[in-house]
Amino acid sequence: MNPMTGRHLGRNDPCHCGSGRKYKHCCLGKDEATARAASADAAEARSPNPEPATAARPPKHQTYQPWKKSAANTHGFHRISTPRKVGSG
């Protein structure tokens, strides 16, 4: 609902400001920005004590992985590719 006119404006309807342009080309961006700001203010008012965004996690435990020789080998077990067959047969 548009608070100025009391009816829902479609994107392709004439703009409510009287410019004669389509609503999506004229005032849609401004109206959406004010609606986003109003919803952000309402959300901020609902949660006066925000939770901390990052929680401290315990470090991951290290497991024994004998197949890994170094940090460069990240694929685990080595894959051996077979040569491509060429010709008929």
Side-chain angles (χ1 to χ4, degrees):
M1 282 278 186
N2 187 3
M4 298 179 107
T5 61
R7 68 178 187 96
H8 178 72
L9 285 174
R11 291 173 47 89
N12 290 323
D13 291 340
C15 189
H16 59 80
C17 70
S19 65
R21 297 172 64 191
K22 285 185 178 183
Y23 176 63
K24 65 182 175 183
H25 293 297
C26 188
C27 293
L28 177 65
K30 291 183 275 184
D31 291 345
E32 285 181 344
T34 56
R36 275 194 302 268
S39 66
D41 290 340
E44 193 173 286
R46 281 191 302 246
S47 61
N49 296 330
E51 300 277 332
T54 57
R57 295 165 117 194
K60 290 186 176 181
H61 65 282
Q62 296 294 320
T63 59
Y64 177 65
Q65 299 173 346
W67 59 88
K68 288 192 175 180
K69 299 290 183 196
S70 67
N73 179 11
T74 59
H75 295 291
F77 295 102
H78 296 286
R79 290 187 215 154
I80 300 172
S81 62
T82 58
R84 197 174 99 190
K85 295 181 180 177
V86 179
S88 63

